[in-house]
Amino acid sequence: ARIVDLMNNLKKHNEHMLVADATCGAGPFAIPLAKNYVQVLANDLNPAAVDAIQYNGQKNKCLQFLSVHGPSCARHFLREQIDSKYTHVIFNLPATGLDLLDAFRGLKFSSNLPPLVFCYCFAPKDNKEGTLIPELQFRLQRALGLSSSDDTPHSATTHPLPPDSHRQATQFATDGFLAIRWIRNVSPNKDMFCLTFRVPSACATLEPILLEERPSPPAKRPRKSNNEEEAK
């Protein structure tokens, strides 16, 4: 809800806003944004999720602002859509979201301002005070392929996202700044966080990752009719 509220607020001050929801699922972010007239590119690797968000977009009458893609890997999706000039990217896949950030290696954005990223991830509970932020910074640096800490978003904070002020909401989103927000506890030894940062300009100078050929999505089994079930 915080991210949706933030983007809706930014929309009021920014004529061009295009959100790339790289792991959209059934649309927990994409649908509320599209209903509030924010243009969204939605993608998921799971064919069932692609069908679900298409259905939810139709049901919520927001397909005018929702462009559904896939099923495709988030890395392929972001690379293929770079010419669309997306301004924000969402990775709502906590188990592997940080690993997918290598998609930004070698991407050259035509805009002077690279996209703002919201990435959900899991991390162990910070039982030793002060170890959590360095660990998340290291994982982020490794995923982005940046060898120098000077190139990695590093001005970390555990404070929530800024309040609903356009000026304040954009202050934190400068190159090199990382906002870390605790979301919830998911197990006795694991928490969920949201990392917010702007894609570092240094990523554009890196070699793009090699992407494997996409396998064809598995064919769906035809649903059996009631008559076929009764025949059994």
Side-chain angles (χ1 to χ4, degrees), residues 35-208:
K35 287 179 66 176
N36 281 278
Y37 316 114
V38 175
Q39 291 287 347
V40 181
L41 305 173
N43 169 79
D44 203 280
L45 182 63
N46 187 344
V50 174
D51 290 343
I53 193 171
Q54 184 74 38
Y55 170 80
N56 289 336
Q58 184 175 3
K59 185 176 181 180
N60 285 275
K61 300 179 181 179
C62 59
L63 288 178
Q64 180 182 354
F65 297 92
L66 179 67
S67 177
V68 180
H69 299 260
S72 176
C73 169
R75 297 180 176 97
H76 283 280
F77 166 68
L78 291 173
R79 184 174 294 184
E80 291 172 351
Q81 295 298 321
I82 190 170
D83 290 338
S84 65
K85 300 181 180 179
Y86 46 82
T87 59
H88 298 72
V89 181
I90 299 174
F91 291 94
N92 184 25
L93 196 65
T96 58
L98 275 175
D99 297 331
L100 294 174
L101 296 178
D102 59 10
F104 294 118
R105 298 183 193 180
L107 286 188
K108 295 176 174 61
F109 297 99
S110 57
S111 170
N112 293 330
L113 202 59
L116 185 64
V117 180
F118 300 90
C119 180
Y120 287 84
C121 67
F122 292 135
K125 272 189 174 299
D126 193 5
N127 295 322
K128 296 179 180 179
E129 187 174 353
T131 62
L132 172 65
I133 290 178
E135 178 196 339
L136 289 175
Q137 285 179 272
F138 172 75
R139 290 170 61 189
L140 177 60
Q141 176 180 333
R142 181 177 59 187
L144 293 174
L146 301 176
S147 58
S148 169
S149 59
D150 293 336
D151 296 329
T152 308
H154 58 276
S155 301
T157 175
T158 54
H159 295 295
L161 291 177
D164 292 336
S165 161
H166 173 64
R167 183 182 61 81
Q168 290 175 301
T170 54
Q171 277 183 339
F172 81 101
T174 56
D175 195 1
F177 192 90
L178 169 66
I180 300 174
R181 181 163 61 89
W182 181 85
I183 303 298
R184 62 184 176 89
N185 173 249
V186 295
S187 74
N189 298 309
K190 184 189 296 184
D191 286 340
M192 182 190 295
F193 296 86
C194 179
L195 275 58
T196 305
F197 63 95
R198 197 170 292 283
V199 176
S201 54
C203 286
T205 64
L206 301 176
E207 282 292 321

